[in-house]
Every structure is written in C-alpha cells, then in structure tokens.
Amino acid sequence: MSAMCKICEKEFSSQFNLNKHLKNVHKTKPVAVSYKKSVWSYKCEEPSCNSSFYRNQGLIDHLLMCHNMKLKVRLDNLRRYKHIRLSRADRNAAASKLAAAVPKERILGEIRDNIGNQLKRVNLIIKQDLQNVKRSFKIDMQEGVRNKDDATILLYKREGDILESFPLEENDFCLIIMSQYQQHMLVKYGNNIIAVDGTYGLNNYDFKLTTLMVVDNFNEGFPGAFMFTNRKDTLIHQIFFEVIESKVGNKISPNTFMSDITGVFYQAWSSVMGVVPFQLYCTWHIDRAWRNNLNKIPNIEKKERGLQNFKKSMHKQIKYFYLHGTPVKRLDKGLYAVLQYSRDKMVEHLIKETKGKSSIHKKNILQRHTTAISSQFSAESIENSE
C-alpha cells in the first residue's frame, strides 16, 4: 500500500517510511496521508481531501493541523465523542435534509461551517453517520415509494395561455402540484377522511391556495396536493379533482368529506369522485364562526377561555412559521414555503412510522403503570360492615 506526502507529493512504500520522511525532512507530525489503492477506516470528510488514517488520533491531528480546526477540547474527550450516538434532535434534523434529497456533502459542509469553540458530537458527523440515519428512517424506500420529495406539476396554465383540455379563460392562472409521496399518502389514506380548504396571502397576485388533505394513521392531517389559482368557483375545483383522479385512478373513496361551509368544494368533489356518506365542516371555519359569535359574550374571561381551545390550521403554520408572518409578494416564495411544509410533514410521518409517536398521554400512562408495579398493596376482607 503506497502512501503520499501531501507536502512534497513524494510517494513511499509504507506508512512507516512516510512517517520518517515527515519527521526528518519536513519536521512535522505524520498527519498528511493519502492512499491510492485503498483507505483506512478513519477518513477525512473535508472537501477535496482524500486523507485517511489507521487510528482516530491521526484523523484528529490531521483536522487540527491541516484544516485549521481550532477545537478547544481535550483529545481524550474528542476520542470519546467518536463512540457517542447522535442525539435524537440531530438525527431528526439530518433525516429531514436527507429526505429532501440534500447531498451528504452539503449537509457535512453546513455542520462544519458552524463548528465553534465548544465541540459537540454532531460536529464530528461523517458520511457513515448519515448513511446510518438514512437506513434507520428508511429514507431510501418507504413501502415501495421513494421518498425524494420532488414536486410533480400535474397542471400548469399561465395567464394568457389557452388549454384545449379544460374550459378556462385566457386570463386564468392554475398550478397543481403533487409529489410522489403525497400521491402515495392519498392512495393509502384517502378512503377514510378527505379535507379540502383554501387560503389567501401566500403571494401578491391574489392567487388562492387550495389544499387537499388526508388523515393519516396518527390521526393527523397530511397534505396530498396543492393548487394555486385566481379562480374560486366550482369549475376550477372540478379541474383540480379531475387532474388528481387521472393521476391516482379510482383509488380514493372517502367515507367523510371535510370542507368549508359554502359547499363549493363538496359540489366539485361529488361531481368528479362521487357522493361521500358524511360531510363535516373544517376546524378553521368553525373557528371563524366561533370568533364571530364570541363577540356576543359579554364576559371577557369566558371569551378568552373559549379562544384558547382552537388549534392553528395548516395555512397559519405556513404563513407564520415558514413565511415568518411577513407579506409575500412573489408566488415562488409562497410555493417554496408550501413545498417546505410538505417536506417536513413527510419527514415527521416517516419519523413516527419508524420510531412510533410519543405523546404526553402515553408518557402519563407509562408513568402510572410504573408506579402501580412498584407499589405495595395490601387487601383485607370486610364483612357485615355498614
């Protein structure tokens, strides 16, 4: 196995000879190592660096001296970090980026750009760690569906275009998108509950965002498809559902349909997909109706207590968490926020599928169960007692 000096690029037949060369000629420690035919297990993951080392101490010295990593930490602690598992938060963050098809090199680069004086386990993450996360969260394949969340454009009509397949006006705009994973979720959970809702404010063109959602196995909403359009009548939503139906086939037959109070969404759905046995109003519209009627309550304390019972809708999450509550003038920024939300929902579902959903309710049950097992109970029979 040949070794090369990275200072003068001279080759040596063994590591031992290279070490002597570095000590006698360059007056330095044996840290700059590059193997041609094969590599040791401790590899440097810095860009354009092919160095590898037989022991992790060699890699540590290499990072400190050749890449100017100023890590104020004892070397014995640094060696200890190599054998500590990544925290759950770091694993989830890495899984989110891997599921979004972010290259491993970019993930490693972002982590090392943020290395500070206080070294953390995540700072020493290598490609093998990312591969382990990828395998643990089943990111390569989830029930036969690849999890690269590339948005598929099902229909795109610009203002000024004319479509022969749909009766839209020349000045209409319509963009319908659905990723492969969203299609998978629609088919898998579309026979239970379907919810449709619309919102404005994600762009400066007065385009409305319509979202088709399903309820997954954790009883949480999952976005199945999105549509940006300037129209808000039954026709445009019929087109929305027709495009989805042509993609998934006759595989969606819900028993409950949840929408707004106007009935536009349900009229369009029933004309394309068929009649649904049960119809409900979504939380946001119930929330708005409550807010309008809460003004009739004179007691301020009761009014505030009633408002605290409502949860934030998906569209509020996009507006305030992904767009930071700032007005959006460009459609692409609103679209990007929607895709980010869809990606994060996909990763959350994968995490729950892999690790199981944790909740305060389950924790309380487990705590009570543990208390009951560890407690000592005594029983006695009482007879003829009043």
Side-chain angles (χ1 to χ4, degrees):
M1 180 185 301
S2 62
M4 177 186 296
C5 174
K6 298 198 71 175
I7 299 176
C8 63
E9 298 186 353
K10 187 176 180 179
E11 294 188 23
F12 297 88
S13 59
S14 66
Q15 173 70 42
F16 178 77
N17 292 334
L18 173 59
N19 291 346
K20 289 199 306 181
H21 167 77
L22 292 171
K23 180 179 179 181
N24 297 332
V25 177
H26 300 294
K27 310 299 181 183
T28 185
K29 293 182 179 180
V31 294
V33 184
S34 179
Y35 294 98
K36 286 188 172 181
K37 295 182 180 180
S38 59
V39 294
W40 296 113
S41 57
Y42 293 93
K43 308 170 188 177
C44 177
E45 301 290 344
E46 290 300 299
S48 303
C49 184
N50 298 319
S51 300
S52 64
F53 302 88
Y54 180 71
R55 295 183 178 87
N56 58 358
Q57 183 61 53
L59 174 60
I60 294 169
D61 294 337
H62 171 77
L63 292 173
L64 293 173
M65 299 184 65
C66 293
H67 296 290
N68 299 320
M69 288 190 178
K70 298 178 180 179
L71 309 177
K72 295 181 180 180
V73 62
R74 291 179 57 185
L75 294 181
D76 55 345
N77 290 338
L78 188 58
R79 284 191 295 269
R80 178 171 56 84
Y81 278 130
K82 299 290 288 186
H83 302 284
I84 297 178
R85 290 174 57 87
L86 289 170
S87 67
R88 176 176 295 183
D90 292 334
R91 286 168 58 82
N92 291 349
S96 176
K97 294 179 180 180
L98 290 170
V102 177
K104 295 179 182 177
E105 293 77 11
R106 180 178 172 183
I107 298 176
L108 294 173
E110 291 176 351
I111 291 174
R112 285 162 187 174
D113 286 341
N114 294 320
I115 291 180
N117 292 334
Q118 186 64 37
L119 187 69
K120 300 178 182 179
R121 170 61 181 90
V122 70
N123 298 140
L124 298 178
I125 193 171
I126 60 176
K127 286 185 179 179
Q128 184 59 48
D129 293 321
L130 296 179
Q131 186 62 33
N132 293 340
V133 172
K134 196 173 183 180
R135 181 172 58 253
S136 176
F137 286 93
K138 302 178 183 179
I139 291 176
D140 277 335
M141 188 69 69
Q142 176 73 11
E143 298 187 10
V145 177
R146 301 197 65 83
N147 294 327
K148 184 177 180 181
D149 193 36
D150 290 337
T152 302
I153 299 177
L154 304 185
L155 177 64
Y156 176 51
K157 182 197 176 300
R158 298 177 298 179
E159 293 178 312
D161 291 347
I162 297 178
L163 297 181
E164 297 181 358
S165 54
F166 297 106
L168 294 175
E169 301 293 335
E170 184 176 350
N171 61 344
D172 286 338
F173 174 86
C174 183
L175 172 63
I176 301 175
I177 55 176
M178 177 176 64
S179 70
Q180 189 175 5
Y181 195 80
Q182 287 178 301
Q183 178 181 345
H184 162 69
M185 295 293 285
L186 273 179
V187 173
K188 186 173 182 179
Y189 299 106
N191 291 327
N192 183 20
I193 300 175
I194 286 288
V196 184
D197 198 11
T199 187
Y200 292 92
L202 297 184
N203 57 83
N204 201 35
Y205 300 95
D206 199 30
F207 291 158
K208 180 181 180 181
L209 170 64
T210 301
T211 307
L212 175 67
M213 304 185 71
V214 294
V215 177
D216 62 16
N217 52 325
F218 299 104
N219 292 322
E220 295 185 359
F222 191 94
F226 302 103
M227 177 176 67
F228 285 94
T229 181
N230 63 305
R231 300 183 63 143
K232 47 189 175 183
D233 56 358
T234 303
L235 173 62
I236 193 64
H237 296 100
Q238 286 177 336
I239 294 175
F240 183 35
F241 299 138
E242 286 176 5
V243 170
I244 294 174
E245 196 273 340
S246 65
K247 188 69 176 178
V248 302
N250 298 322
K251 299 180 181 179
I252 302 178
S253 181
N255 56 29
T256 303
F257 188 88
M258 182 181 293
S259 64
D260 62 6
I261 302 176
T262 64
V264 173
F265 294 135
Y266 181 70
Q267 292 175 12
W269 177 273
S270 59
S271 66
V272 176
M273 299 289 194
V275 178
V276 180
F278 303 100
Q279 186 180 358
L280 300 175
Y281 297 138
C282 68
T283 306
W284 186 88
H285 294 277
I286 297 176
D287 182 7
R288 185 173 63 176
W290 268 92
R291 289 177 183 273
N292 293 335
N293 287 276
L294 279 172
N295 293 326
K296 303 175 184 179
I297 301 177
N299 189 308
I300 298 178
E301 182 180 353
K302 290 183 178 180
K303 182 186 299 184
E304 292 179 350
R305 190 162 57 245
L307 288 173
Q308 292 175 357
N309 294 328
F310 295 105
K311 297 182 179 179
K312 291 184 178 179
S313 66
M314 181 204 79
H315 296 138
K316 286 185 178 179
Q317 292 184 44
I318 295 175
K319 290 179 181 178
Y320 294 105
F321 290 97
Y322 291 85
L323 296 174
H324 310 291
T326 58
V328 178
K329 296 183 179 181
R330 292 167 46 181
L331 176 61
D332 58 338
K333 289 187 177 182
L335 177 60
Y336 180 70
V338 168
L339 295 179
Q340 278 190 314
Y341 173 82
S342 177
R343 176 205 63 188
D344 291 346
K345 291 296 291 184
M346 177 190 70
V347 174
E348 288 176 11
H349 188 266
L350 290 175
I351 291 173
K352 292 171 185 175
E353 286 278 6
T354 305
K355 302 297 182 181
K357 183 179 179 181
S358 178
S359 64
I360 297 297
H361 180 63
K362 286 186 177 180
K363 290 181 180 178
N364 291 337
I365 292 177
L366 179 60
Q367 185 177 5
R368 290 194 294 267
H369 177 69
T370 304
T371 302
I373 293 177
S374 59
S375 299
Q376 299 294 330
F377 297 99
S378 60
E380 59 185 54
S381 179
I382 301 176
E383 300 178 358
N384 300 326
S385 172
E386 296 181 357

